[in-house]
Amino acid sequence: MYDDTTPTAAPPGPAHEVGDGRGRLALVTGVSGYIGGRLVPELLAAGFRVRAVARRPEELRDRPWAERVELVRADAADPEGTGAALEGVDVAYYLIHAMSSGASFSATDRRTARTFARAAAARGVGRVVYLGGLFPEGEELSTHMESRREVGEILLDSPVPTTVLRAAVIIGSGSASFEMVRHLTERLPAMVCPRWVSNRVQPIAVRDVLRYLVGSADMPPEVNRAFDIGGPDVLTYLEMMRGYAEVAGLPKRRVLPVNVLTPRLSSHWVGVVTPVPKRIAQPLVESLVHEVVCTEHDIAEHVPDPPEGLIGFREAVRLALQRVQEANVATRWSSASVPGAPSDPLPSDPDWASGNLYVDERTTVVDAPAHVLWRVLEGIGGERGWYSWPMAWAVRGVLDRFSGGPGLRRGRRDPHRLVVGDAVDWWRVEEREEDRLLRLRAEMRLPGLAWLELRVESDPVGRTLFRQRALFHPRGLAGQAYWAAISPFHDVVFGGMQRNVKRAAEARAQARAGAEPPPAGATLVG
């Protein structure tokens, strides 16, 4: 196993120790997301056969578990495809929620949940397990919290025995909640915060969430209910930030709570300070307006606590930081695609006619082995930047965030290696061929579709070539105007990338050969 679901100095036992799959078939939805991508290997380790469902299963092929599972193409909103995917399934994990897909996301959540529930009943599924949100009874809930409560009720009302697990803040490397706490605490030694930082919350380690998910598969058929799940600590959000600072070795943070920051304003503030965009920050912030503390611990009757107890907040932070520092983060909040972002792969060029696809193509000879150039290309983005005009990339990232896009703050899951489906700043890896090709699809706000293609090739005499293509398919007149406006800057941006990637690869090759690297002025810019 991997990530903070398995610490290296191991007190808590693996999540799969709570049950025995005995070869049963588990279907997992949401496998491209944060929890789904971590649940699959836990189920495999527990002895389940796993069927992973995704709209684009080809994007999962580089996951370490991909060859051990059955990858199925289906959309949970499609009755026919969902029914076929559920054929022969013993336990189905429903890990889908719209988060933010426009004003109608609640209706989308309801419709998808009903489709899934009907299909599961028709195919004789033994149990459905849903991970929802913890909420206070009898209070007016935010739209997002109400939607997750409603989805749980829809699944519980179906003929299929259902387990609904209700969690508040999930702490683990790469989780949105952890990234919020981490970046707010690290970047702001003193801050003005909304009053909700004094509300109580019961965080839970991602390792314990996975343990409950796996163990829920063994519940008897008569169990059909929701369970509150949380860790051993009940803290205010302010105490969580100060606890993070202690674990991370930071000075004590000073916080001034005020009444003027509404949840909407707070989510904008979180979106500016942290990598978590407003569309994800808003439901998280809205949940913190309420006190979200478990009212029961009945889950222990079916999934007993481990002998050493559940993981506390500080230990969960320590494990998460350890994985971040080791660059061993299995999944992140950004693993799932941005709602509304283009999802179609790059079509083959002959299918595009009449100049509908604009291309900026550049090639340069690199005096370095192909595998060295590849390592430079695969490490692009995140903290290393984009090898050209850093200010321009930064400004474009800020503009994208203010227009509702991801901007540059998503960074990378792993600083050295990419897999298909990874987020890299405002791009997503669409295709990767070792030592040959890296194709990135833009998820920024654009009046069209865009790709950046980086290739390693050889010419007829054996020299290494770096071939780079930026492609743009405009949407209407706005798209045409956008390309015309940015074209004058291509030589600086894309030409600079060519030159600086070449220099970086050649410097790395010389360093490996024991030669003196080029002078500082010749190294990369971005």
Side-chain angles (χ1 to χ4, degrees):
M1 305 291 19
Y2 49 86
D3 212 80
D4 34 325
T5 55
T6 304
T8 51
H16 62 264
E17 285 183 3
V18 297
D20 180 4
R22 301 185 300 278
R24 288 174 291 168
L25 180 58
L27 177 138
V28 182
T29 61
V31 287
S32 64
Y34 178 72
I35 293 294
R38 296 183 181 219
L39 177 60
V40 168
E42 294 291 344
L43 290 168
L44 290 170
F48 286 88
R49 293 177 294 124
V50 175
R51 180 177 295 163
V53 178
R55 282 176 291 184
R56 297 189 63 198
E58 62 273 12
E59 292 190 349
L60 303 172
R61 68 172 188 266
D62 287 340
R63 300 293 177 94
W65 40 259
E67 295 184 357
R68 301 173 57 201
V69 307
E70 179 187 358
L71 297 176
V72 174
R73 184 186 305 274
D75 187 331
D78 171 36
E80 185 175 343
T82 300
L86 287 165
E87 186 69 48
V89 168
D90 296 293
V91 56
Y93 289 89
Y94 189 79
L95 305 175
I96 300 170
H97 55 95
M99 283 297 279
S100 174
S101 56
S104 63
F105 79 90
S106 296
T108 300
D109 271 348
R110 287 193 296 271
R111 184 170 56 252
T112 305
R114 289 179 180 133
T115 297
F116 192 87
R118 293 187 190 114
R123 300 292 170 151
V125 172
R127 175 166 296 278
V128 170
V129 181
Y130 169 59
L131 179 61
L134 187 61
F135 56 86
E137 298 286 352
E139 294 188 24
E140 184 178 352
L141 303 177
S142 69
T143 307
H144 287 274
M145 291 183 75
E146 177 61 27
S147 180
R148 299 189 76 172
R149 185 202 64 78
E150 196 173 26
V151 166
E153 291 297 324
I154 290 170
L155 296 174
L156 287 168
D157 288 343
S158 78
V160 180
T162 297
T163 301
V164 173
L165 302 178
R166 302 190 299 205
V169 172
I170 297 176
I171 301 297
S173 58
S175 76
S177 298
F178 174 73
E179 293 298 321
M180 272 181 55
V181 173
R182 175 188 169 202
H183 284 86
L184 286 174
T185 308
E186 289 185 350
R187 293 179 175 176
L188 300 175
M191 65 189 96
V192 175
C193 290
R195 287 286 177 188
W196 52 254
V197 297
S198 298
N199 289 345
R200 295 186 308 153
V201 63
Q202 192 164 351
I204 182 170
V206 65
R207 183 185 179 85
D208 287 329
V209 173
L210 295 170
R211 189 171 180 279
Y212 286 136
L213 285 167
V214 174
S216 294
D218 288 330
M219 290 186 180
E222 62 270 19
V223 176
N224 185 70
R225 57 162 291 186
F227 296 90
D228 294 352
I229 60 172
D233 301 318
V234 176
L235 307 165
T236 66
Y237 203 83
L238 176 55
E239 289 171 335
M240 289 173 57
M241 289 191 288
R242 287 175 172 165
Y244 176 92
E246 289 178 17
V247 176
L250 301 172
K252 184 178 179 179
R253 272 27 196 167
R254 300 188 180 279
V255 175
L256 175 63
V258 296
N259 289 321
V260 296
L261 288 177
T262 65
R264 183 176 294 275
L265 286 174
S266 296
S267 60
H268 280 292
W269 168 64
V270 170
V272 170
V273 176
T274 80
V276 181
K278 176 180 173 292
R279 66 180 180 85
I280 293 178
Q282 184 167 339
L284 293 175
V285 169
E286 287 173 347
S287 71
L288 296 170
V289 172
H290 307 277
E291 291 208 337
V292 279
V293 177
C294 297
T295 59
E296 44 83 10
H297 189 51
D298 297 348
I299 187 70
E301 298 174 12
H302 305 283
V303 187
D305 292 348
E308 65 280 354
L310 300 173
I311 299 173
F313 174 74
R314 280 171 170 75
E315 177 65 5
V317 169
R318 187 191 68 79
L319 293 172
L321 282 175
Q322 178 180 327
R323 296 307 178 185
V324 170
Q325 291 161 3
E326 293 174 352
N328 188 19
V329 180
T331 59
R332 301 177 71 227
W333 60 268
S334 58
S335 296
S337 295
V338 173
S343 58
D344 294 334
L346 175 66
S348 56
D349 289 356
D351 295 335
W352 297 77
S354 304
N356 284 339
L357 188 68
Y358 291 118
V359 180
D360 182 285
E361 185 166 0
R362 299 165 189 267
T363 303
T364 190
V365 176
V366 179
D367 186 17
H371 70 275
V372 172
L373 173 58
W374 172 254
R375 291 291 166 258
V376 173
L377 295 179
E378 194 175 27
I380 203 165
E383 293 186 0
R384 287 192 180 92
W386 292 87
Y387 292 91
S388 69
W389 205 7
M391 181 60 71
W393 287 86
V395 170
R396 184 64 180 88
V398 169
L399 293 175
D400 189 56
R401 285 181 68 82
F402 276 104
S403 65
L408 290 174
R409 292 196 179 187
R410 293 194 306 191
R412 297 170 50 112
R413 176 188 60 84
D414 184 307
H416 307 296
R417 187 174 184 273
L418 294 172
V419 299
V420 171
D422 269 357
V424 185
D425 295 326
W426 62 51
W427 306 91
R428 189 166 298 275
V429 180
E430 180 178 277
E431 186 60 77
R432 176 190 177 277
E433 298 177 19
E434 183 77 17
D435 291 337
R436 291 188 56 209
L437 168 67
L438 181 63
R439 182 184 299 137
L440 306 174
R441 182 180 71 247
E443 291 187 341
M444 68 187 98
R445 297 290 183 178
L446 287 172
L449 307 176
W451 296 264
L452 178 62
E453 197 173 78
L454 309 174
R455 289 182 178 271
V456 180
E457 298 179 355
S458 297
D459 66 9
V461 297
R463 295 180 302 177
T464 300
L465 300 179
F466 169 33
R467 191 179 304 278
Q468 170 186 305
R469 290 202 306 167
L471 306 103
F472 182 68
H473 175 54
R475 186 186 300 118
L477 290 176
Q480 306 276 353
Y482 175 81
W483 182 263
I486 65 171
S487 291
F489 302 99
H490 282 180
D491 190 56
V492 176
V493 175
F494 296 126
M497 184 182 294
Q498 279 268 304
R499 293 185 290 273
N500 292 316
V501 165
K502 168 186 168 71
R503 290 169 182 158
E506 291 175 347
R508 181 175 295 194
Q510 289 177 353
R512 287 189 174 190
E516 286 292 324
T523 56
L524 61 92
V525 173

